[in-house]
């Protein structure tokens, strides 16, 4: 009879750093433990010492295992991940056998991604299962102490934590023992540099008879691509398989034992590294994607096709003596590359500091090629020495930014940031970290951000995390090695392209609750903002969101509407999708947000309250946080182990989050009252004047272009068609007095029908010369252009663009309304056809109210009727057919034969349309319009009509 001697260690340590291991008086022998057979596993369930022992026949044949000198065989090593809408659930399982003739340690040592939440761990020793539960840390320690007093505790381990996290379990087992370890954790995969990257550690340590990495991706938005880089090395070329569908993908890596070997005769494994899966999703809407399921909603927001905002950036670089050598060399290399990537619209400067603080320039300068080259020369000449005066360096940086703003040197739409690079704690000047944090907070303005890069392990990363989060930025640890330069450039690339600022998410308060952070200082290209909350799906059919933000050349208001049951069918059909993904994502975001808030809590009382909330969330959702511990025990609860993770004072507790934007009262018009619009000042929001719905009071061009001109004085509608060639551009409105142009470009059907090629408007351009704004509307996109800047929405969006008192309102797959102050408005209607139709194509219609305040100089096919001509219609006679009578129309000195008929107004019914009676003028409106229709052809989409 042998006794099992085991202990559990939970290490949260750096992959390259050291750790401290403290084991509190683990007894040499623990009484009343499991009596294990030496010669192998029983093949059927048995009772041993009153305990139920499960069959382990699922292992199958365990022969042919390759053993190292320690005679420990690895039967199988499996990593299984399922990603459901960015929520990755990962299981790592190892089955091992001690084939030695003596007891020895079997180790299960895996890396867990930083920020992941461990939620379960089980251990099966010859059929005896140990399971885990999450308890409040002091309670778990108390339970462990009680068990220890009774001689039933196996051990306790404390460890220091840095950036990378290791989970390590070590069990001393008798000969012949089979043991299975299984760890579960989940994480939210964050988008960086336009890609989601899921990384799992695959370090079995020895050859496995069965090796498998299995990743399944389920993304309701649809998958744009799936890529598996060769992160494990060329040794495994061609082994990974990828199966990709529209919304699902399966990645499999199953090397045979022969493929695992470092060489044909080697007994060691070449599998040692990270297995990486990269992917991105489809995005149809600028307003983001709402996913609603099981009483929670997740809002994914990652707009594209936006011009970058100009940035004002100050690099604050530690050049103290500790930076000497490789760290400084790598920093200089990175900074030279970063400076080369600055845009012409950016402003920048450099500050380097040791015990003194030096400025390359005392103020911000434009990122011209000559200035960038001068800055590179300055960086190259740096020689590290002396102490570290972080406080004065950061205060100098905030002073330069504040002074630039006070002097009006900063573009109102620009983004201002400070990037601190340091490898150690302050040693000169102000040394108290809380005072430095307070000083920076007081001096930096609300619209500035601070980003911190901590190099190596001597830096107080927790301090950098706090000071960055406190000032609307984030921190990242950079390892001081050969990869320092690449890591710095990678971090800079994440924040180098600000696309939006002052982003505010709004939801109806009566329908949602417990919403995570909903105000964000900046949005950077290639990233993603995620907001989650609870939603009352029992009393709600649709959930609406409104996002407001400031772009490079406009204010945006983007609306999204989703059916609360839209995902139900999809989720129920997929057996791999996690039905709890919305709840887990909400909990993940909420706990991380509370951890960040706790870091910057101004009072001890507030910190205690936040700690209580974190603890309750940890227990409710069964996750390990700095305030909980994991108890591992057998079914009879008479053998207990404790996995403890004390908080490391030099480690940030959570991923960086962007600073909150204070809420402001809603004074905007045309927006639901529950939408708290902070990003759009009232002065930017003109009253939206949609063209009137009455079919008798509007000028319109629709279908094959059918023109309907409404004459308010005589209350008549006059119609005519224009049959031009595809590609030609017709002027509809040309008003030099107000500086307004409206032109339409012709598009043809796919082929002729009845010897006639139908033509339509496929593109419409608006030019507001006095504002310097152009709007281009196609059947795919709506684009606002302001000089070199542009912003684009698609017809899949519902939202608003506001710029210089011009409001563009997009109604998803329906229409666009352009409103110019109180003076004029236009509506463009979208007509979709079946994309496989053999003849028809998508096209646009335009509706222009006669009330628009054009000047007397206005002309164009529609604009000329702003001054209504005298029209007389007489001598009406029956036509062929009778319902289409003919008459004589006198207009502009011409007598024309016209036919009474019906045309369509599609504003209220885009499929069937509403019939409108009108008098039809033949021959492309000849005699009713001035001159010939060819006189209205213009060379460009924004050209004014030339006077005859």
């Amino acid at each position: 009879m042998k006794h099992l001697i085991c202990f559990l260690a939970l290490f949260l340590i750096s992959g390259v750093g050291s750790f401290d291991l403290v084991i509190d008086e683990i007894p040499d022998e623990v009484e009343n433990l499991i009596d294990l057979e030496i010669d192998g596993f029983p093949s059927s369930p048995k009772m041993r010492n009153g305990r139920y022992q499960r069959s382990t026949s699922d292992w199958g044949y365990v022969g042919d295992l390759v053993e190292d000198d320690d005679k420990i065989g690895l039967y199988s090593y499996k990593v299984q991940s399922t990603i459901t809408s960015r929520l990755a659930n990962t299981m790592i399982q190892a089955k091992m056998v001690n084939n030695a003739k003596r007891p020895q340690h079997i180790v299960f040592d895996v890396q867990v991604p930083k920020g992941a939440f461990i939620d379960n761990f089980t251990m099966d020793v010859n059929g005896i299962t140990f399971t885990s539960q999450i308890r409040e840390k002091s309670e778990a320690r108390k339970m462990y102490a009680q068990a220890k007093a009774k001689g039933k505790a196996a051990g306790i381990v404390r460890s220091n934590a840095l950036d990378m996290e290791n989970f390590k379990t070590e069990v001393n087992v008798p000969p012949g023992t089979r043991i299975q370890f299984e760890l579960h954790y989940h994480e939210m995969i964050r988008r960086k540099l336009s890609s989601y990257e899921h990384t799992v550690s695959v370090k079995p340590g020895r050859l496995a008879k069965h090796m498998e990495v299995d990743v399944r991706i389920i993304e309701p938005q649809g998958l744009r691509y799936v890529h598996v880089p060769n992160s494990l090395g060329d040794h495994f070329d061609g082994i990974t398989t990828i199966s990709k569908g529209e919304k699902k993908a399966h990645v499999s890596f199953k090397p045979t034992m022969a493929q695992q070997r470092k060489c044909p005769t080697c007994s060691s494994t070449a599998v040692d590294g990270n297995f990486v899966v990269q992917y991105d999703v489809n995005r149809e809407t600028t307003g983001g994607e709402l996913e609603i399921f099981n009483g929670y909603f997740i809002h994914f927001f990652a707009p594209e096709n936006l011009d970058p905002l100009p940035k004002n950036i100050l690099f604050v670089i530690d050049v103290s003596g500790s930076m000497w050598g490789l760290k400084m060399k790598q920093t200089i290399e990175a900074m030279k590359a970063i400076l080369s990537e600055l845009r012409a619209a950016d402003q920048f400067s450099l500050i380097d500091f040791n015990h003194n603080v030096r400025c390359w320039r005392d103020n911000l300068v434009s990122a011209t090629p000559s200035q960038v080259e001068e800055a590179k020369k300055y960086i190259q000449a740096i020689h590290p020495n002396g102490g570290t005066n972080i406080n004065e360096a950061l205060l100098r940086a905030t002073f330069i930014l504040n002074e630039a703003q006070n002097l009006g040197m900063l573009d109102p739409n620009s983004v201002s940031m400070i990037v601190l690079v340091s490898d150690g704690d302050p040693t000169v000047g102000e040394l108290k970290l809380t005072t430095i944090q307070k000083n920076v907070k007081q001096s930096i303005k609300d619209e500035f951000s601070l980003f911190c890069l901590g190099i190596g392990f001597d830096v107080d990363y927790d301090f950098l995390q706090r000071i960055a989060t406190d000032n609307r930025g984030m921190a990242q640890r950079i390892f001081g090695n050969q990869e320092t330069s690449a890591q710095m450039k990678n971090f800079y690339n994440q924040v180098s392209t600000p696309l939006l600022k002052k982003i505010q998410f709004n939801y109806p308060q009566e329908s949602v609750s417990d919403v995570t952070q909903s105000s964000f200082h900046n949005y950077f290209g290639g990233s993603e903002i995620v907001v989650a909350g609870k939603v009352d799906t029992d009393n709600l059919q649709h959930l609406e969101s409104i996002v407001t933000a400031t772009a490079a050349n406009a204010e945006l208001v983007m609306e999204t509407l989703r059916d609360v049951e839209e995902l139900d069918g999809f989720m129920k059909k997929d057996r791999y999708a996690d039905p709890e993904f919305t709840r887990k994502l909400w909990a993940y975001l909420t706990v991380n947000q509370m951890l960040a808030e706790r870091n910057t809590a101004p009072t001890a009382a507030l910190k205690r309250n936040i700690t209580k909330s974190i603890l309750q969330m940890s227990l409710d959702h069964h996750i390990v946080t700095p305030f909980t511990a994991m108890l591992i025990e057998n079914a009879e609860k008479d053998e207990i182990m404790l996995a403890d993770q004390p908080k490391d004072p030099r480690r940030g507790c959570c991923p960086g989050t962007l600073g909150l934007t204070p809420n402001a009262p809603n004074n905007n018009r045309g927006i639901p009252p529950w939408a708290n619009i902070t990003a759009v000042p009232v002065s930017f929001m003109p009253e939206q004047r949609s063209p009137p719905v009455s079919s008798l009071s509007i000028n319109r061009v629709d279908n094959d272009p059918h023109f309907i001109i409404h004459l308010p004085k005589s209350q008549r509608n006059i119609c005519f068609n224009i049959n031009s060639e595809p590609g030609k551009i017709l002027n509809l409105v040309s008003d030099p007095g107000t500086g307004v142009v409206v032109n339409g470009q012709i598009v043809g059907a796919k082929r002729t029908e009845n010897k006639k090629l139908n033509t339509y408007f496929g593109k419409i351009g608006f030019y507001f010369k006095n504002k310097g704004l152009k709007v281009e509307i196609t059947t795919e996109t709506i684009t606002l252009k302001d000089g070199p800047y542009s912003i684009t929405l698609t017809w899949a969006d519902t939202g608003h663009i506001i710029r210089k008192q011009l409001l563009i309102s997009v109604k998803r797959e329906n229409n666009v309304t352009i409103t110019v102050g109180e003076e004029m408005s236009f509506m463009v209607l979208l007509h979709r056809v079946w994309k496989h139709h053999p003849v028809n194509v998508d096209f646009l219609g335009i509706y222009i109210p006669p009330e628009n305040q054009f000047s007397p100089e206005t002309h164009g096919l529609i604009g000329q009727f702003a001054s209504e001509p005298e029209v007389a219609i007489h001598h009406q006679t029956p036509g062929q057919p009778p319902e289409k009578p003919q008459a004589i129309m006198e207009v502009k000195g011409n007598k024309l034969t016209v036919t009474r008929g019906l045309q369509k107004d599609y504003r209220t019914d885009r499929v069937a349309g509403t019939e409108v009676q009108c008098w039809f003028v033949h021959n492309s409106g000849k005699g009713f319009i001035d001159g010939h229709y060819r006189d209205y052809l213009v060379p460009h989409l924004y050209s004014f009509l030339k006077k005859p």
Side-chain angles (χ1 to χ4, degrees):
M1 304 289 286
K2 299 288 183 181
H3 296 292
L4 173 68
I5 303 173
C6 59
F7 67 92
L8 177 75
L10 173 61
F11 295 138
L12 298 178
I13 63 175
S14 167
V16 296
S18 61
F19 60 88
D20 297 327
L21 172 63
V22 181
I23 302 177
D24 291 348
E25 301 176 13
I26 296 180
D28 293 334
E29 292 187 356
V30 180
E31 298 298 329
N32 302 320
L33 291 182
I34 309 165
D35 182 13
L36 300 174
E37 289 191 5
I38 297 177
D39 297 330
F41 288 79
S43 60
S44 58
K46 294 184 179 181
M47 296 292 291
R48 292 200 173 271
N49 294 342
R51 295 184 179 87
Y52 178 73
Q53 183 165 327
R54 300 182 309 174
S55 169
T56 53
S57 59
D58 64 314
W59 281 43
Y61 177 63
V62 297
D64 300 330
L65 297 183
V66 176
E67 301 163 353
D68 291 339
D69 294 340
D70 56 13
K71 299 295 182 181
I72 292 176
L74 178 59
Y75 175 73
S76 75
Y77 192 90
K78 293 183 179 181
V79 180
Q80 294 179 343
S81 282
T82 301
I83 304 169
T84 309
S85 287
R86 307 3 168 232
L87 189 280
N89 291 297
T90 300
M91 181 273 290
I92 302 178
Q93 180 194 80
K95 295 180 179 181
M96 306 175 79
V97 183
N98 178 18
N99 286 327
K101 294 183 178 181
R102 57 182 174 79
Q104 60 180 338
H105 291 289
I106 290 182
V107 178
F108 177 64
D109 187 0
V110 298
Q111 286 190 349
V112 177
K114 176 188 174 184
F117 286 153
I118 295 172
D119 50 40
N120 195 22
F121 173 73
T122 58
M123 184 172 65
D124 187 286
V125 185
N126 274 10
I128 305 299
T129 301
F130 290 78
T131 58
S132 63
Q133 58 177 305
I134 307 297
R135 295 294 184 95
E136 190 273 329
K137 184 166 288 188
S138 60
E139 178 187 357
R141 288 176 175 173
K142 182 179 179 181
M143 293 175 66
Y144 172 78
Q146 292 172 347
K148 180 180 175 182
K150 297 177 182 178
K152 297 179 179 179
I156 179 171
V157 170
R158 298 187 181 93
S159 65
N160 285 332
L162 291 175
D163 249 16
M164 304 299 290
E165 299 180 347
N166 277 31
F167 184 98
K168 184 175 182 180
T169 308
E170 186 171 346
V171 182
N172 192 318
V173 297
T177 300
R178 296 182 182 182
I179 186 166
Q180 173 180 306
F181 303 100
E182 190 170 296
L183 177 70
H184 294 254
Y185 63 85
H186 67 266
E187 60 178 322
M188 187 182 82
I189 305 176
R190 295 189 179 272
R191 189 169 184 254
K192 295 180 180 179
L193 303 177
S194 301
S195 177
Y196 301 99
E197 186 170 285
H198 179 51
T199 302
V200 291
S201 176
V202 187
K203 298 183 177 182
R206 58 186 76 227
L207 294 172
K209 183 176 182 180
H210 301 285
M211 161 70 68
E212 176 183 355
V213 179
D214 192 84
V215 180
R216 293 186 181 273
I217 307 172
I218 301 101
E219 287 286 356
Q221 280 183 247
L223 290 166
R224 181 183 296 182
Y225 67 84
V226 177
H227 173 63
V228 179
N230 196 9
S231 56
L232 289 174
D234 297 338
H235 187 90
F236 299 103
D237 273 351
I239 297 177
T240 300
T241 61
I242 303 174
S243 302
K244 177 185 172 297
E246 181 184 354
K247 298 182 178 181
K248 304 173 187 178
H250 180 210
V251 177
S252 179
F253 174 72
K254 294 183 179 180
T256 64
M257 189 176 290
Q259 291 170 330
Q260 295 171 46
R261 297 178 187 272
K262 283 187 176 180
C263 65
T265 58
C266 293
S267 61
S268 56
T269 179
V271 182
D272 183 23
N274 292 329
F275 187 81
V276 178
V277 178
Q278 298 170 337
Y279 73 94
D280 201 10
V281 299
N282 298 321
R283 290 178 180 81
E284 294 183 355
T285 66
T286 304
E289 186 71 18
L290 273 174
E291 296 187 2
I292 307 159
F293 193 65
N294 275 353
Y296 294 85
F297 76 86
I298 311 295
H299 193 164
F300 299 105
F301 181 78
E304 300 172 328
N305 301 319
L306 298 171
D307 286 327
L309 294 164
K311 60 181 179 289
N312 315 298
I313 185 166
L314 268 166
F315 299 99
V316 182
I317 304 169
D318 183 349
V319 296
S320 60
S322 58
M323 287 286 288
W324 187 86
L326 180 62
K327 284 190 284 188
M328 196 70 248
K329 180 181 178 182
Q330 292 276 305
T331 299
I332 290 172
E333 179 184 331
M335 283 304 307
K336 290 167 71 175
I338 288 169
L339 290 170
S340 296
E341 294 177 7
L342 292 173
R343 299 181 181 88
D346 296 338
Q347 298 185 99
F348 78 105
S349 191
L350 302 169
I351 294 176
D352 62 296
F353 70 96
N354 44 28
H355 50 282
N356 295 316
V357 177
R358 291 166 296 278
C359 299
W360 169 65
R361 296 285 188 270
D362 291 329
N363 56 292
L364 294 170
V365 298
S366 296
T368 62
S370 60
Q371 294 284 16
V372 168
E373 286 305 312
E374 288 297 319
K376 289 181 182 179
K377 292 177 183 177
Y378 181 83
I379 288 286
Q380 188 67 55
I382 288 176
H383 296 286
N385 64 84
T388 307
N389 193 342
I390 292 178
N391 182 70
E392 187 177 340
L394 288 177
L395 293 183
R396 183 75 61 87
T398 60
F399 173 81
I400 291 175
L401 282 180
N402 291 336
E403 189 75 3
Q405 186 178 61
N406 294 337
L407 294 174
M409 295 172 57
L410 305 185
D411 185 329
N413 280 345
S414 64
V415 169
S416 299
M417 63 181 76
I418 298 168
V419 177
L420 170 67
V421 180
S422 181
D423 76 332
D425 292 344
T427 60
V428 177
E430 180 58 60
L431 303 181
K432 193 174 181 181
L433 299 181
T434 54
T435 302
I436 297 175
Q437 183 177 347
K438 181 180 178 181
N439 291 343
V440 174
K441 178 70 173 176
Q442 289 177 345
S443 64
I444 198 168
K445 290 187 179 291
D446 289 341
E447 55 266 42
F448 300 161
S449 298
L450 172 62
F451 297 93
C452 298
L453 289 175
I455 300 180
F457 301 100
D458 295 328
V459 67
D460 191 324
Y461 183 71
D462 186 52
F463 164 67
L464 296 183
Q465 183 75 48
R466 288 198 312 272
I467 197 171
T469 304
D470 207 20
N471 294 287
R472 299 158 295 281
M474 59 183 177
Q476 182 169 314
R477 188 187 297 281
I478 301 296
F479 301 110
N481 54 26
Q482 296 290 345
E483 301 299 320
T484 296
S485 178
Q487 294 174 66
M488 289 181 65
K489 287 184 284 188
N490 183 279
F491 177 83
Y492 172 76
N493 288 337
Q494 294 177 44
V495 300
S496 65
T497 311
L499 298 182
L500 296 172
K501 60 189 292 187
K502 299 179 183 176
I503 307 103
Q504 174 72 50
F505 292 76
N506 304 274
Y507 309 94
Q509 296 178 2
E510 67 276 6
S511 304
V512 303
S513 61
D514 299 307
V515 178
T516 59
Q517 179 180 338
S518 58
S519 298
F520 299 84
H521 192 61
N522 295 314
Y523 164 72
F524 295 97
S527 66
E528 182 175 62
I529 295 175
V530 184
V531 180
K534 298 177 181 178
V535 59
D536 182 11
T537 54
D538 293 335
N539 299 302
L540 192 68
Q541 184 177 358
H542 297 90
L543 177 62
E544 183 180 12
S545 72
I546 293 181
V547 182
T548 63
T550 298
N553 69 326
E555 302 293 331
L556 296 183
V557 182
M558 294 158 284
E559 302 175 35
T560 303
L561 186 69
R562 287 291 180 273
D563 189 319
V564 298
E565 297 179 352
E566 187 174 313
L567 268 185
D568 291 6
F570 175 82
M571 292 297 296
K572 289 174 182 176
K573 289 179 183 177
D574 195 288
R575 63 192 181 100
Y576 294 104
D578 183 357
E580 295 293 318
F581 84 95
T582 51
R583 178 188 64 80
K584 290 180 180 178
L585 281 173
W586 172 80
Y588 182 94
L589 290 169
T590 301
V591 171
N592 275 300
Q593 180 179 320
M594 288 191 293
L595 287 167
E597 291 172 352
R598 184 182 183 277
N599 260 353
T600 57
T603 65
L606 179 57
K607 183 170 287 190
R608 284 194 299 271
N609 289 336
I610 296 174
T611 302
K612 290 179 182 178
S613 299
I614 296 171
L615 174 60
Q616 191 59 53
M617 284 285 295
S618 305
L619 298 176
D620 291 345
H621 297 273
H622 200 266
I623 52 180
V624 176
T625 65
F627 310 106
T628 54
M630 181 181 282
L631 281 173
I632 297 94
E633 53 192 0
N634 64 346
E636 289 75 15
K637 300 185 184 300
D638 59 357
E639 296 156 15
I640 188 170
M641 291 161 280
L642 178 67
D644 192 3
Q645 177 203 350
K647 187 177 185 299
D648 177 11
R650 300 183 69 82
R651 174 182 179 269
C653 67
C654 54
T657 56
L658 296 172
L660 300 179
T661 301
N663 290 333
N666 173 37
N667 298 313
N668 299 291
R669 296 165 285 180
I671 304 297
W674 48 263
N676 189 12
I677 311 301
T678 62
V680 184
V682 177
S683 61
F684 280 96
M685 288 290 293
E687 185 73 45
Q688 181 177 345
R689 293 174 54 240
S690 298
V693 177
S694 169
S695 62
L696 297 177
S697 61
I698 198 163
N699 300 316
R700 60 191 79 88
V701 189
D702 217 326
N703 217 315
D704 181 16
H706 299 316
F707 287 71
I708 305 176
I709 304 300
H710 178 68
L711 304 176
K713 293 179 182 178
S714 59
Q715 288 298 298
R716 289 189 175 98
N717 292 316
I718 310 299
C719 310
F720 59 92
N721 292 347
I722 296 291
N723 296 312
S724 189
E725 302 170 9
K728 297 294 186 181
I729 300 172
L730 290 171
N731 175 255
L732 306 179
V733 177
S734 179
D735 185 2
T738 60
V740 174
V741 168
V742 183
N743 293 325
Q745 187 170 31
I746 300 295
V747 62
K750 295 176 182 176
R751 61 179 174 84
T752 59
E753 196 172 36
N754 298 324
K755 298 183 179 180
K756 178 180 181 293
L757 181 69
N758 289 329
T759 56
Y760 313 87
F761 280 130
K763 182 185 295 183
I764 296 176
F766 297 83
Y767 179 29
F768 303 95
K769 182 178 180 181
N770 296 345
K771 296 179 180 293
L773 300 177
K774 297 175 181 178
V775 180
E776 179 181 301
I777 301 176
T778 71
T779 56
E780 301 298 328
T781 59
I782 304 96
T783 303
L784 171 67
K785 302 176 182 180
D786 184 1
Y789 299 108
S790 66
I791 188 166
T792 300
L793 297 181
T794 71
W795 282 102
D797 292 309
T798 294
H800 310 276
I801 306 174
I802 304 102
R803 179 69 171 170
K804 298 178 181 178
Q805 293 292 316
L806 183 138
L807 170 64
I808 303 173
S809 298
V810 182
K811 187 175 180 181
R812 178 186 174 97
E813 295 293 334
N814 193 307
N815 65 70
V816 174
T817 300
I818 299 176
T819 306
V820 187
E822 301 292 331
E823 295 79 42
M824 57 186 71
S825 63
F826 308 86
M827 176 185 283
V828 176
L829 204 65
L830 173 67
H831 294 273
R832 286 273 190 239
V833 300
W834 179 43
K835 64 181 180 179
H836 298 300
H837 195 285
V839 178
N840 296 339
V841 295
D842 296 342
F843 63 94
L844 305 171
I846 182 169
Y847 295 75
I848 305 175
E851 297 86 2
N852 278 358
Q853 299 174 26
F854 296 122
S855 77
E857 303 174 60
T858 306
H859 211 268
L861 285 169
I862 294 177
Q864 62 187 289
F865 299 105
S867 299
E868 183 176 333
E870 294 290 334
V871 173
I873 297 176
H874 51 82
H875 291 88
Q876 182 172 324
T877 59
Q880 294 296 329
E883 61 269 19
K884 292 186 176 182
Q886 292 187 334
I888 300 297
M889 182 173 75
E890 295 187 39
V891 59
K892 299 181 180 179
N894 300 313
K895 288 186 178 182
L896 309 174
T897 298
V898 294
T899 303
R900 184 70 176 240
L902 297 174
Q903 295 290 359
K904 295 289 185 72
D905 184 318
Y906 292 94
R907 283 173 296 158
T908 56
D909 186 342
R910 287 188 306 130
V911 178
T914 303
E915 291 185 340
V916 178
Q917 285 192 342
C918 68
W919 288 102
F920 184 79
V921 181
H922 302 274
N923 299 321
S924 298
K926 185 177 181 181
F928 180 61
I929 64 174
D930 295 337
H932 194 276
Y933 87 84
R934 291 191 183 91
D935 299 333
Y936 298 88
L937 294 174
V938 292
H940 305 293
L941 195 62
Y942 306 110
S943 298
F944 280 87
L945 185 66
K946 290 184 179 180
K947 294 182 180 180

